[in-house]
Amino acid sequence: MKVVLRNPRREVEVAGNRRVKEVLRDLDILPETVLVIRGDDLVTADQVVSDGDTIELRPVMSGGAP
Amino acid sequence: MKCRKCGGAAAIELRRHNAAFCVADFLEFFRNQVREAIRRHRMFARDEPVLVAVSGGKDSLALWDVLIEDGYRTTGLYLDLGIFDYSVESKARCEAFAEARGVPLLVRRVADEVGAPVPVIKQVTRRPPCSGCGLSKRYLLNRVALDEGLPVVATGHNLDDEAATLFGSVMHWQTDALPRQSPALPSTHPKLVRRVKPLYRLSERETAAYAFLRKIDYIVEECPFAKGATSIAHKLILDRMEDASPGAKHNFLFGFLEKARPAFERAEAVALNECARCGQVTTGTLCAFCKLADQVKRSV
């Protein structure tokens, strides 16, 4: 399964056919810090992603000057 | 996972609310939180024109979208910080957003106002870039609103931003900063407009989800100067706490606003003067913005 990461943009291959929360745990990413995007949809942490899927983990943090 | 309202398939889980929502019900939840913020703090009346500070990021464009959808009379203000491609791309996002919705957008360049863009200000002042940037933003938002006859500025600060700012203030016991932390700051001088934060009830992830689901083309990339910023470090700490205890950020911020903030309010108001140069409000003779512009002029 392909995972697209941002800032900087890059792609990694991880094992699929498991729940999103397990993928996030393997990548050491807190679920509350990203949107999990598959195509035009958001994916919740309990959903299973398959080996053929591409998901984007889009960070939600912004920051700098208040 | 099922939507709490309709029982359909959920698109997003909100652990701090112990709830999940489908797309339609999440969008309505989001708008209701903004409406509640505006109502609770009397941020602006239905017929008041509002200046919305937009950066091209998810928060400010999500805020602008909600206000437009709810029928408010809004004008966007984009401050061009001159931060390389980041500013070029974020400005393009704001212009495309405004054009698609037929709403007015003002653009002001920090380089025109201060004498140099943010990267040069950083070099000249030898201070963190967020310092000169934040000072310029606060000054220009107020001045442009005054110039345009707009009584209130709305910014896209969210729950995470506010919790991180509060965390930083508490870590250093900046007791003069604590009373100024509020979802709505009233005008305390004829030359100070009201400042409001209608997204303060919504987390960063919620505003990102709203922007994505509304198909808002926002800039995902971070400001290149944000890396290493203290506010980011504080957010990372709070993210860990939120993961261990959902609702931690909410409890921290709302507990402060409801219980602690009044204790830090000053009995005596600070004397406000008008800057000898620009006429904007300051506590001294020359305002910090004019001092910054002087410093830039001497060095560039």
Side-chain angles (χ1 to χ4, degrees):
Chain A
M1 186 185 77
K2 191 186 291 179
V3 178
V4 179
L5 302 161
R6 306 289 288 253
N7 294 335
R9 192 184 176 96
R10 59 208 186 279
E11 293 179 2
V12 295
E13 284 286 338
V14 299
N17 298 326
R18 53 190 178 143
R19 292 179 193 278
V20 165
K21 60 182 163 190
E22 288 156 20
V23 174
L24 294 176
R25 195 181 305 139
D26 270 8
L27 294 169
D28 198 23
I29 292 173
L30 299 178
E32 289 293 310
T33 64
V34 289
L35 294 181
V36 183
I37 298 167
R38 182 171 52 192
D40 290 332
D41 299 318
L42 294 180
V43 188
T44 53
D46 67 330
Q47 283 186 262
V48 173
V49 277
S50 62
D51 257 338
D53 279 343
T54 297
I55 59 170
E56 177 189 343
L57 303 182
R58 186 180 294 185
V60 299
M61 186 185 289
S62 53
Chain B
M1 209 174 284
K2 302 283 183 198
C3 172
R4 181 164 81 177
K5 274 193 90 175
C6 72
I12 183 166
E13 181 185 17
L14 307 182
R15 289 177 69 209
R16 71 190 177 98
H17 290 292
N18 196 23
F21 291 108
C22 67
V23 172
D25 286 324
F26 171 72
L27 295 177
E28 195 54 18
F29 160 84
F30 190 93
R31 294 182 184 117
N32 282 337
Q33 291 295 322
V34 177
R35 290 169 190 146
E36 174 63 11
I38 295 169
R39 185 198 66 77
R40 185 178 288 240
H41 295 277
R42 297 177 183 175
M43 291 182 173
F44 35 81
R46 175 61 58 182
D47 57 351
E48 265 187 312
V50 181
L51 184 67
V52 185
V54 289
S55 66
K58 66 189 190 308
D59 304 302
S60 55
L61 292 182
L63 169 61
W64 203 7
D65 184 77
V66 173
L67 296 182
I68 292 167
E69 289 290 305
D70 268 6
Y72 286 99
R73 251 188 319 143
T74 59
T75 299
L77 171 61
Y78 175 78
L79 295 178
D80 185 341
L81 307 168
I83 304 177
F84 318 121
D85 287 349
Y86 175 75
S87 287
V88 175
E89 287 172 27
S90 56
K91 181 179 165 208
R93 300 298 205 290
C94 293
E95 288 174 336
F97 180 99
E99 191 178 344
R101 290 159 179 79
V103 287
L105 174 70
L106 305 172
V107 177
R108 297 288 184 274
R109 292 174 69 235
V110 166
D112 292 339
E113 308 288 344
V114 187
V118 166
V120 176
I121 295 173
K122 169 184 173 271
Q123 288 173 344
V124 167
T125 58
R126 296 181 186 176
R127 299 194 62 196
C130 299
S131 171
C133 182
L135 166 65
S136 303
K137 281 184 196 169
R138 288 188 294 275
Y139 176 93
L140 290 171
L141 290 180
N142 186 73
R143 206 190 71 194
V144 172
L146 278 176
D147 291 347
E148 298 294 323
L150 300 167
V152 57
V153 173
T155 58
H157 291 90
N158 58 47
L159 172 59
D160 293 61
D161 296 326
E162 293 299 281
T165 300
L166 176 61
F167 187 77
S169 298
V170 170
M171 286 298 286
H172 295 97
W173 286 116
Q174 292 169 324
T175 51
D176 56 336
L178 290 172
R180 290 201 302 269
Q181 174 141 12
S182 170
L185 287 174
S187 169
T188 53
H189 185 282
K191 286 192 170 179
L192 285 178
V193 302
R194 302 200 306 280
R195 297 178 58 123
V196 298
K197 301 167 182 171
L199 299 185
Y200 84 100
R201 304 175 64 83
L202 290 151
S203 76
E204 206 146 55
R205 186 160 167 273
E206 289 155 16
T207 62
Y210 179 88
F212 175 80
L213 294 170
R214 287 283 296 159
K215 301 190 189 308
I216 294 171
D217 182 20
Y218 67 91
I219 188 158
V220 176
E221 287 68 35
E222 276 181 16
C223 169
F225 288 131
K227 202 168 189 174
T230 311
S231 60
I232 301 281
H234 292 160
K235 281 187 173 181
L236 293 171
I237 294 167
L238 291 170
D239 280 342
R240 291 276 167 199
M241 294 171 69
E242 183 74 20
D243 186 59
S245 177
K249 293 177 196 172
H250 177 106
N251 293 338
F252 179 50
L253 178 66
F254 282 66
F256 165 75
L257 293 174
E258 287 160 20
K259 297 174 189 168
R261 185 175 172 272
F264 292 98
E265 282 183 308
R266 293 178 190 208
E268 295 172 42
V270 179
L272 296 175
N273 311 312
E274 292 186 11
C275 172
R277 171 97 41 85
C278 71
Q280 292 294 294
V281 178
T282 178
T283 52
T285 309
L286 207 59
C287 74
F289 183 83
C290 285
K291 287 179 187 168
L292 176 66
D294 278 351
Q295 194 180 359
V296 169
K297 199 185 293 177
R298 282 195 302 271
S299 308
V300 176

